[in-house]
């Protein structure tokens, strides 16, 4: 009898875990905000699977931001050596404080040869303008300021 109760309890628990709400992604393109089940961002376009199962292909120039698993990615202008490089990238929004936003971007490292060819680069934006590119020495202070 005890084994039966334990078996039923474990079965109900497993069914409850399987019935959990799946993670939902949110995509902003243009003035429209769309909830989607899955998103894959490529070089020129994003492949989006909507909640109802419909699949869409969205050009990256129309996509403004997206969120996956609670992480928000926003399109920001890239700056190199303090000047606009003519490129944009989807950077992960780490935190906002006041008018400042703290972003993380994964960039290729030309000095590395192995499998780890990318590095995390951190930026602080004031609105849409770059305020500061955070180096290794300033990273602990920036994380402290934003509470990350």
């Amino acid at each position: 009898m005890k084994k039966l109760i334990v078996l039923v309890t474990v079965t109900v628990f497993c069914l409850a875990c399987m019935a959990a709400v799946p993670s939902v992604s949110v995509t902003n393109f243009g003035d429209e905000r769309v909830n989607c089940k899955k998103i894959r961002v490529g070089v020129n376009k994003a492949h989006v699977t909507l909640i109802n199962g419909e699949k869409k292909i969205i050009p990256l120039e129309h996509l403004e931001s997206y969120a996956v698993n609670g992480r928000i990615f926003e399109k920001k202008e890239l700056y190199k050596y303090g000047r606009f490089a003519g490129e944009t990238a989807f950077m992960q929004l780490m935190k906002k404080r006041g008018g400042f936003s703290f972003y993380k971007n994964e960039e290729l490292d030309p000095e590395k040869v192995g499998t780890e060819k990318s590095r995390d680069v951190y930026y602080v934006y004031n609105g849409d303008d770059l305020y500061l590119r955070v180096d290794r020495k300033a990273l602990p202070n920036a994380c402290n300021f934003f509470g990350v």
Side-chain angles (χ1 to χ4, degrees):
M1 189 65 172
K2 289 180 185 179
K3 289 181 183 179
L4 182 63
I5 292 173
V6 170
L7 182 62
V8 169
T9 305
V10 169
T11 304
V12 169
F13 181 73
C14 289
L15 289 174
C17 289
M18 289 178 12
V21 177
S23 65
V24 175
S25 302
V26 177
T27 307
N28 286 344
F29 57 96
D31 294 334
E32 190 176 353
R33 185 175 197 157
V34 178
N35 289 331
C36 55
K37 194 184 292 187
K38 183 178 172 185
I39 185 168
R40 191 187 64 179
V41 179
V43 177
N44 294 322
K45 52 192 164 193
H47 299 269
V48 177
T49 305
L50 301 176
I51 299 292
N52 62 3
E54 180 185 349
K55 294 183 180 181
K56 283 188 174 185
I57 297 175
I58 303 169
L60 287 184
E61 56 264 7
H62 296 150
L63 189 65
E64 295 297 321
S65 66
Y66 64 93
V68 176
N69 296 330
R71 296 182 301 168
I72 299 170
F73 295 87
E74 293 182 353
K75 187 189 291 186
K76 288 292 182 184
E77 297 176 342
L78 282 178
Y79 290 84
K80 294 191 180 187
Y81 306 111
R83 296 182 182 195
F84 176 57
E87 302 174 27
T88 58
F90 285 98
M91 298 185 191
Q92 180 183 350
L93 176 64
M94 302 294 287
K95 197 85 177 221
K96 285 188 175 188
R97 181 173 178 191
F100 297 102
S101 304
F102 188 45
Y103 290 95
K104 178 174 84 168
N105 188 30
E106 188 174 319
E107 296 180 1
L108 292 178
D109 190 356
E111 296 176 0
K112 292 187 179 179
V113 180
T115 57
E116 291 287 325
K117 289 189 174 187
S118 63
R119 63 179 175 200
D120 291 334
V121 181
Y122 296 89
Y123 297 96
V124 176
Y125 279 79
N126 186 2
D128 286 337
D129 300 324
L130 178 69
Y131 182 74
L132 175 71
R133 179 179 176 180
V134 182
D135 61 357
R136 288 184 184 174
K137 292 179 183 177
L139 183 60
N141 292 335
C143 289
N144 234 2
F145 176 78
F146 285 100
V148 178

